[in-house]
Tab-separated table of all heavy atoms in Angstrom:
chain	number	residue	atom	x	y	z
A	15	ARG	N	12.573	17.597	11.306
A	15	ARG	CA	11.234	18.021	11.728
A	15	ARG	C	11.149	18.168	13.245
A	15	ARG	O	10.481	19.071	13.755
A	15	ARG	CB	10.181	17.031	11.223
A	15	ARG	CG	10.039	17.034	9.700
A	15	ARG	CD	8.814	16.267	9.260
A	15	ARG	NE	8.682	16.269	7.803
A	15	ARG	CZ	7.568	15.950	7.157
A	15	ARG	NH1	6.485	15.585	7.838
A	15	ARG	NH2	7.517	15.973	5.837
A	24	LEU	N	6.542	23.761	18.962
A	24	LEU	CA	5.349	23.219	18.319
A	24	LEU	C	5.110	21.789	18.785
A	24	LEU	O	6.055	21.065	19.097
A	24	LEU	CB	5.529	23.234	16.796
A	24	LEU	CG	5.774	24.591	16.151
A	24	LEU	CD1	6.122	24.409	14.673
A	24	LEU	CD2	4.553	25.484	16.313
A	37	LEU	N	-1.117	-6.414	16.476
A	37	LEU	CA	-2.031	-7.364	17.107
A	37	LEU	C	-3.130	-6.649	17.892
A	37	LEU	O	-4.301	-7.038	17.834
A	37	LEU	CB	-1.267	-8.305	18.031
A	37	LEU	CG	-0.674	-9.552	17.382
A	37	LEU	CD1	0.146	-10.340	18.397
A	37	LEU	CD2	-1.767	-10.444	16.800
A	62	GLY	N	1.351	-10.762	31.710
A	62	GLY	CA	1.778	-9.506	32.307
A	62	GLY	C	3.095	-8.974	31.811
A	62	GLY	O	3.718	-8.133	32.462
A	64	LYS	N	3.668	-7.471	28.613
A	64	LYS	CA	3.622	-6.515	27.508
A	64	LYS	C	2.901	-5.210	27.842
A	64	LYS	O	2.610	-4.425	26.955
A	64	LYS	CB	2.939	-7.172	26.300
A	64	LYS	CG	3.725	-8.347	25.708
A	64	LYS	CD	5.037	-7.903	25.106
A	64	LYS	CE	5.775	-9.049	24.432
A	64	LYS	NZ	7.077	-8.625	23.852
A	71	LEU	N	-10.214	-3.858	23.807
A	71	LEU	CA	-10.747	-3.113	22.668
A	71	LEU	C	-10.707	-1.607	22.894
A	71	LEU	O	-10.678	-0.836	21.924
A	71	LEU	CB	-12.177	-3.561	22.365
A	71	LEU	CG	-12.345	-5.053	22.036
A	71	LEU	CD1	-13.784	-5.340	21.593
A	71	LEU	CD2	-11.362	-5.501	20.969
A	82	LYS	N	-3.827	7.767	13.830
A	82	LYS	CA	-4.406	8.694	12.848
A	82	LYS	C	-3.952	10.128	13.079
A	82	LYS	O	-3.787	10.900	12.123
A	82	LYS	CB	-5.933	8.623	12.901
A	82	LYS	CG	-6.538	7.387	12.255
A	82	LYS	CD	-8.057	7.438	12.269
A	82	LYS	CE	-8.662	6.261	11.501
A	82	LYS	NZ	-10.148	6.314	11.483
A	85	ASP	N	1.992	12.891	14.078
A	85	ASP	CA	2.659	13.614	12.987
A	85	ASP	C	3.451	12.671	12.092
A	85	ASP	O	3.482	12.849	10.875
A	85	ASP	CB	3.596	14.673	13.577
A	85	ASP	CG	2.819	15.768	14.286
A	85	ASP	OD1	2.075	16.493	13.623
A	85	ASP	OD2	2.940	15.871	15.527
A	113	LEU	N	-5.848	-0.343	6.300
A	113	LEU	CA	-6.935	-0.337	5.323
A	113	LEU	C	-8.287	-0.460	6.027
A	113	LEU	O	-9.235	0.266	5.711
A	113	LEU	CB	-6.750	-1.485	4.331
A	113	LEU	CG	-7.837	-1.634	3.252
A	113	LEU	CD1	-7.886	-0.402	2.349
A	113	LEU	CD2	-7.573	-2.888	2.413
A	140	LEU	N	20.727	17.061	19.615
A	140	LEU	CA	19.482	17.807	19.512
A	140	LEU	C	18.786	17.936	20.868
A	140	LEU	O	18.196	18.965	21.186
A	140	LEU	CB	18.559	17.109	18.501
A	140	LEU	CG	17.239	17.786	18.146
A	140	LEU	CD1	17.480	19.198	17.637
A	140	LEU	CD2	16.504	16.961	17.105
A	157	ARG	N	17.868	7.588	33.494
A	157	ARG	CA	18.151	8.987	33.805
A	157	ARG	C	19.617	9.156	34.202
A	157	ARG	O	20.279	10.115	33.772
A	157	ARG	CB	17.241	9.448	34.944
A	157	ARG	CG	17.443	10.897	35.363
A	157	ARG	CD	16.554	11.231	36.543
A	157	ARG	NE	16.464	12.660	36.768
A	157	ARG	CZ	15.633	13.235	37.627
A	157	ARG	NH1	14.806	12.485	38.339
A	157	ARG	NH2	15.617	14.539	37.776
A	170	THR	N	14.363	16.210	33.485
A	170	THR	CA	13.754	17.021	34.544
A	170	THR	C	12.602	16.314	35.241
A	170	THR	O	12.252	16.658	36.373
A	170	THR	CB	13.246	18.353	33.980
A	170	THR	OG1	12.347	18.089	32.890
A	170	THR	CG2	14.392	19.217	33.499
A	201	SER	N	8.928	4.860	26.845
A	201	SER	CA	9.326	3.475	26.603
A	201	SER	C	8.429	2.592	27.457
A	201	SER	O	8.783	2.231	28.582
A	201	SER	CB	10.799	3.254	26.960
A	201	SER	OG	11.650	3.905	26.049
Side-chain angles (χ1 to χ4, degrees):
R15 293 192 180 196
L24 301 172
L37 273 176
K64 295 294 184 181
L71 301 187
K82 285 184 175 181
D85 293 295
L113 179 63
L140 185 56
R157 180 183 194 172
T170 55
S201 290

